[in-house]
Amino acid sequence: MKLSVCVPAYNHEKYIAQMLDGALMQQTDFPFEIVIGDDASTDRTPDIIRQYIARNPGRIRAFLHTENQGPKEPREFAGRNNVLQLLKACQGEYVAMCEGDDYWTDPLKLQKQVDFLDKNPDFAICHHNMLVTYEDGSDSHSFNAPDQKQVSTIEDILEDKWFMATASWVYRNHFLNNDFAEWHAKAAAGDWAVMIQLAAQGNIGYIPETMGVYRKHSAGLSNVHSQTNRNFLLNRKQMFENVDQWLNYRYHETIEKTLIKYERQLSDLEKIGSSN
């Protein structure tokens, strides 16, 4: 299998059809599978997925969990187990990520990214621009700035820069034959943990085309993973400390600057808390 489309879903009744339509419309010269995991949604998401399976036999592999895979606590880790199981279930040489509430708009997206990775064996990841839209009606905007670098490295990520919308990833399937790093299970920011491990394998390429939509809404985890959540900041700091050790301190100077930034943020939160 050339590529697996990895789709974590939970209570995405309003969105999942558009996501699946965006995947099924992809025009490629290679076979790809859609691997979707519904984490025991309490709405109609599983029913909609079943309808798509019936209409597209053999194209969708679904894990429709009847119990939420958790963990329930801490809240910052919600959905973690569903995603990890899905990533390991992907059998493609490449994996494209798209959560159930995002969607793709360019029918050649997968072909463009696979072509890039096929031609550039020293690259582990390819991403592209996305349109960010808001459920509350706030103005939409591009995810990436016009000056986004065409080539990035793990060092950019270790500087605590986040420049890749998850639904824009296509990466070499490192986890097909490799376990997740030990520190991954302790990291609340699962997308960061995945991306750090992938970026340790090669460069990150950018295609400056808007090929999908990233929805931001009140139920999204980005609201839990916030800069005012003390537990999340502590966890993020711990993740970078663990990564520093995992990378044998090769990027210690870069990571040290990131850790200092988190220490300042935590100190500022403490001051705010003591003044209230």
Side-chain angles (χ1 to χ4, degrees):
M1 181 65 62
K2 187 71 171 179
L3 182 141
S4 299
V5 178
C6 181
V7 188
Y10 178 70
N11 283 355
H12 290 153
E13 174 183 26
K14 293 193 288 184
Y15 316 116
I16 193 66
Q18 196 167 23
M19 182 276 136
L20 288 169
D21 287 340
L24 290 164
M25 76 171 181
Q26 292 298 305
Q27 300 168 19
T28 64
D29 62 12
F30 53 82
F32 67 89
E33 62 175 357
I34 298 171
V35 184
I36 187 165
D38 180 77
D39 203 6
S41 291
T42 56
D43 62 8
R44 291 186 57 253
T45 304
D47 295 333
I48 295 167
I49 294 169
R50 288 189 190 96
Q51 291 167 12
Y52 272 80
I53 293 170
R55 293 202 298 266
N56 300 275
R59 300 201 65 188
I60 302 170
R61 271 198 297 137
F63 300 87
L64 304 179
H65 300 293
T66 55
E67 289 186 19
N68 188 278
Q69 300 300 288
K72 290 180 181 176
E73 294 293 338
R75 206 163 54 115
E76 292 81 6
F77 283 64
R80 159 66 53 81
N81 295 338
N82 181 42
V83 174
L84 294 184
Q85 291 169 23
L86 268 186
L87 291 175
K88 293 301 283 185
C90 290
Q91 297 170 353
E93 176 187 349
Y94 299 121
V95 174
M97 289 292 295
C98 193
E99 295 181 347
D101 51 349
D102 299 326
Y103 64 99
W104 300 331
T105 53
D106 186 337
L108 298 176
K109 169 205 146 68
L110 293 180
Q111 187 70 57
K112 291 172 185 176
Q113 290 183 276
V114 166
D115 286 348
F116 177 90
L117 290 170
D118 278 348
K119 290 172 187 169
N120 296 279
D122 54 330
F123 282 71
I125 306 148
C126 178
H127 70 114
H128 57 77
N129 211 342
M130 299 276 287
L131 180 69
V132 183
T133 65
Y134 293 86
E135 187 184 57
D136 66 5
S138 299
D139 290 343
S140 58
H141 59 86
S142 293
F143 187 92
N144 292 103
D147 62 352
Q148 173 61 43
K149 292 200 293 188
Q150 301 276 334
V151 179
S152 302
T153 68
I154 189 171
E155 200 143 7
D156 292 295
I157 297 173
L158 298 177
E159 288 175 356
D160 203 27
K161 297 174 186 170
W162 190 248
F163 48 87
M164 287 173 284
T166 307
S168 78
W169 301 357
V170 171
Y171 64 83
R172 296 186 194 280
N173 194 355
H174 172 71
F175 303 114
L176 187 62
N177 300 308
N178 295 279
D179 289 333
F180 301 109
E182 185 181 352
W183 54 267
H184 187 145
K186 305 168 192 169
D191 47 3
W192 280 78
V194 168
M195 194 47 62
I196 288 169
Q197 291 166 81
L198 294 173
Q201 312 304 315
N203 290 334
I204 303 164
Y206 174 64
I207 298 175
E209 298 177 32
T210 300
M211 296 194 274
V213 173
Y214 167 39
R215 283 192 177 97
K216 295 205 76 165
H217 51 87
S218 56
L221 264 184
S222 57
N223 292 287
V224 178
H225 295 178
S226 88
Q227 301 306 305
T228 57
N229 181 334
R230 182 176 179 275
N231 289 337
F232 180 69
L233 292 175
L234 282 168
N235 183 273
R236 180 69 69 86
K237 179 173 175 282
Q238 180 69 58
M239 180 187 77
F240 280 110
E241 290 170 348
N242 292 337
V243 168
D244 199 12
Q245 182 178 6
W246 179 70
L247 292 169
N248 296 315
Y249 303 100
R250 290 196 302 276
Y251 304 97
H252 179 70
E253 191 174 321
T254 300
I255 293 175
E256 187 69 21
K257 291 176 185 173
T258 298
L259 292 173
I260 289 168
K261 186 190 80 170
Y262 279 103
E263 285 164 7
R264 284 181 187 143
Q265 285 182 282
L266 286 162
S267 175
D268 290 345
L269 273 184
E270 294 287 343
K271 290 173 187 171
I272 293 167
S274 61
S275 65
N276 288 341

